[in-house]
Amino acid sequence: MKARGALMIWLDRDLQWSGLASGKRGRPSLFSDAAIQFCLTIKALFGLTLRQAMGMVESLLKLAGLSWPVPDYSTVCRRQKTLKVRIPYRPAAQGLHLLVDSTGLKMMGEGEWKRKKHGAEYRRQWRKLHIGIDAQTLEIRAIEVTPNSVGDAPVLPSLLGQIDPHEALLSVSGDGAYDTKACHEAIALRAAQAIIPVRKNARKTWKENRPGARARNEILRATQRLGRDIWKRWSGYHRRSLVETKMRCVKLVGERVNARDFDRQVAELQVRAAILNRFTQLGTPVTVRVG
């Protein structure tokens, strides 16, 4: 327990801090995307404002003995809108079992106490975060940010599109909201198994003229014959609780989105995903084979 309270920030001296020439007209960027992502990581990790985060980055560089220049807070804010966040992950060696889910993050509005005391305000707005995690490593492999009016099912093809096509995708697990023809078709096109329960009011089979329809019909028949509880245990559906736990970890980093522009909100949540993946990698036990 004492070691968990220790604070250690490791800075790679070989990090490409300065920006490189892009080959386009105009002056090249003074700072690289890695430098901007590092500044945003410090901001998200310690819950700071941009000005405070830049002061902490400057102190960290001095403590590390690095003479790198520190970007201004306005530079970081401007670059955040177009930042390509790098999310580290480990490819699945024996095939990927993807678990998908979504949650809401508050963007605008008062706290929960005022809502319960005086009622909800019309200005309360939310962003919807959709993620897909590896069931083995628990790392976030796909992430999408949408307005709260967008449902879960339309985002699944985009999540699957973020998985390397050369990586074997074995299964995709989701709740009943993903029981649509488009979702089953997207999963079937990746030659993966759909572990998605049919809706409770589902009674009829689909016409098998689209990919994934036959697999969905088999789930429906198995559910009608065995019951939903037995099918969930038999198919391994309860493994999906791991992605719900990961959603809780996302909210521990921040319960609300601080940026006001949508593109900056996407970058902010992607930085949080990169932080969680790094924590997951550092917390995974390393097995050393002797002999």
Side-chain angles (χ1 to χ4, degrees), residues 171-243:
S171 67
V172 178
S173 301
D175 56 23
Y178 298 96
D179 183 32
T180 64
K181 294 181 179 179
C183 290
H184 280 279
E185 182 176 359
I187 296 172
L189 292 177
R190 288 298 303 265
Q193 177 188 5
I195 306 178
I196 300 173
V198 296
R199 300 175 186 269
K200 292 185 177 181
N201 59 353
R203 296 294 182 270
K204 297 181 180 180
T205 57
W206 292 347
K207 294 182 180 180
E208 298 182 0
N209 55 355
R210 298 179 60 176
R214 178 176 297 180
R216 189 266 182 185
N217 292 338
E218 292 178 356
I219 296 175
L220 177 61
R221 296 188 186 100
T223 303
Q224 292 174 343
R225 179 176 301 178
L226 304 175
R228 297 178 67 88
D229 293 339
I230 295 179
W231 176 85
K232 288 181 178 180
R233 291 196 298 268
W234 170 74
S235 63
Y237 170 78
H238 293 296
R239 183 169 49 182
R240 200 188 62 85
S241 62
L242 295 173
V243 70

Side-chain angles (χ1 to χ4, degrees), residues 102-287:
S102 65
T103 188
L105 293 172
K106 186 165 59 177
M107 171 190 125
M108 180 182 297
E110 299 294 337
E112 300 303 319
W113 180 87
K114 184 178 180 181
R115 181 186 67 82
K116 293 180 180 180
K117 185 74 175 179
H118 302 286
E121 295 183 356
Y122 71 95
R123 297 184 63 223
R124 291 170 61 90
Q125 296 184 17
W126 302 75
R127 286 289 180 254
K128 203 166 184 180
L129 175 65
H130 311 258
I131 64 172
I133 72 168
D134 186 347
Q136 184 66 30
T137 64
L138 303 182
E139 294 175 350
I140 298 177
R141 297 295 308 274
I143 179 172
E144 282 288 338
V145 182
T146 63
N148 57 357
S149 59
V150 178
D152 296 353
V155 185
L156 181 61
S158 178
L159 292 175
L160 297 182
Q162 298 181 26
I163 306 300
D164 190 348
H166 300 290
E167 185 175 359
L169 182 61
L170 301 182
S171 67
V172 178
S173 301
D175 56 23
Y178 298 96
D179 183 32
T180 64
K181 294 181 179 179
C183 290
H184 280 279
E185 182 176 359
I187 296 172
L189 292 177
R190 288 298 303 265
Q193 177 188 5
I195 306 178
I196 300 173
V198 296
R199 300 175 186 269
K200 292 185 177 181
N201 59 353
R203 296 294 182 270
K204 297 181 180 180
T205 57
W206 292 347
K207 294 182 180 180
E208 298 182 0
N209 55 355
R210 298 179 60 176
R214 178 176 297 180
R216 189 266 182 185
N217 292 338
E218 292 178 356
I219 296 175
L220 177 61
R221 296 188 186 100
T223 303
Q224 292 174 343
R225 179 176 301 178
L226 304 175
R228 297 178 67 88
D229 293 339
I230 295 179
W231 176 85
K232 288 181 178 180
R233 291 196 298 268
W234 170 74
S235 63
Y237 170 78
H238 293 296
R239 183 169 49 182
R240 200 188 62 85
S241 62
L242 295 173
V243 70
E244 297 177 353
T245 304
K246 180 62 69 172
M247 284 296 189
R248 176 57 183 164
C249 295
V250 172
K251 291 191 175 182
L252 286 176
V253 180
E255 291 254 353
R256 64 183 299 157
V257 185
N258 297 319
R260 290 294 176 260
D261 183 80
F262 181 76
D263 294 330
R264 293 184 175 90
Q265 291 170 356
V266 173
E268 179 181 345
L269 294 176
Q270 288 176 345
V271 168
R272 295 185 189 180
I275 292 174
L276 291 175
N277 279 7
R278 186 62 68 188
F279 281 172
T280 303
Q281 293 172 5
L282 293 175
T284 302
V286 178
T287 302

Side-chain angles (χ1 to χ4, degrees), residues 8-13 38:
M8 180 181 67
I9 299 179
W10 180 73
L11 294 173
D12 187 3
R13 294 180 179 272
F38 174 77

Side-chain angles (χ1 to χ4, degrees), residues 14-29:
D14 297 330
L15 176 67
Q16 184 62 43
W17 188 265
S18 302
L20 300 176
S22 61
K24 300 180 181 179
R25 297 182 60 183
R27 181 174 63 89
S29 299

